[in-house]
Amino acid sequence: MGRPEPTTRRVVIDSITPTVDHGRFPARSAVGDRVDVGAKVFADGHDLVSAALQYRKSPSRSWSVAPMGFVDNDTWSGEFTPVELGTWQFRVSGWVDHFRTWSEGVSKK
């Protein structure tokens, strides 16, 4: 058995919400109101992907992480709640989940 080939698959993250005028203006929320974040996250091939929501209050350098759940058809959803007044940033990260791919493959056999 030869060496495994490095992963060359790319994960695509698209259609992130909430957005105002395609990101031209910041989305707004009130302190204590939940911010629902959605995104399309997918990869080429048949491997499964996972996604996480990262958020922080600007100008903090550290990100908090919240898991995102699969909704349907490449759509993922997560949420966070701003706890103080100010500018909050969020981003979505996605990756090929090799363990989930392996686990689902084994369970099918």
Side-chain angles (χ1 to χ4, degrees), residues 6-104:
T7 302
T8 57
R9 291 182 168 81
R10 296 181 330 159
V11 174
V12 177
I13 301 171
D14 194 23
S15 304
I16 298 174
T17 60
T19 183
V20 178
D21 199 15
H22 302 287
R24 186 173 176 200
F25 301 103
R28 298 184 184 263
S29 178
V31 173
D33 283 354
R34 183 179 71 202
V35 177
D36 294 315
V37 177
K40 297 281 188 179
V41 181
F42 56 94
D44 58 351
H46 296 287
D47 288 341
L48 300 176
V49 297
S50 290
L53 169 64
Q54 298 174 329
Y55 61 95
R56 69 180 178 187
K57 182 178 184 299
S58 204
S60 174
R61 296 180 63 97
S62 63
W63 293 88
S64 297
V65 179
M68 294 185 80
F70 179 75
V71 179
D72 65 3
N73 198 23
D74 299 329
T75 303
W76 291 76
S77 176
E79 64 185 44
F80 73 96
T81 304
V83 292
E84 31 179 300
L85 192 62
T87 301
W88 288 77
Q89 299 174 321
F90 67 89
R91 63 186 182 188
V92 174
S93 60
W95 60 94
V96 173
D97 194 332
H98 296 289
F99 179 76
R100 270 188 54 225
T101 301
W102 171 81
S103 179
E104 295 244 343

